[in-house]
Amino acid sequence: TKAELDPVYESFFNEPNEAISFYIYKTNTIYTTERDITEGVIAHEMAHCIIDHYFVILPPRKIQEMLAVYADVHLKD
């Protein structure tokens, strides 16, 4: 549930959670809720995972987010 997800997010980022899903490299885990999960959400979070494991030097955070959004938006192409 969102109530269970929020404390996990806050423990990693020390700020309130506004995300419905997130990926943490340190634990190699996608955190989400059954209610909010969609194909697009999982594609977006999997893209973050792939980016973190594929690039030797990580692109800037904004570029990582652009790539993850691209995976989500173009999932069915």
Side-chain angles (χ1 to χ4, degrees), residues 15-72:
E15 60 185 47
N17 180 26
E18 295 182 14
I20 61 169
S21 178
F22 55 94
Y23 166 74
I24 301 292
Y25 176 78
K26 184 178 180 178
T27 61
N28 198 32
T29 305
I30 294 171
Y31 296 86
T32 192
T33 66
E34 183 178 7
R35 180 180 205 165
D36 294 321
I37 195 74
T38 65
E39 291 175 338
V41 168
I42 200 72
H44 180 97
E45 298 306 337
M46 288 175 72
H48 279 297
C49 178
I50 292 165
I51 291 164
D52 282 352
H53 290 279
Y54 178 78
F55 289 96
V56 176
I57 298 173
L58 288 176
R61 200 77 189 134
K62 286 185 179 183
I63 301 299
Q64 291 180 41
E65 192 60 28
M66 285 175 41
L67 292 169
V69 167
Y70 184 88
D72 173 2

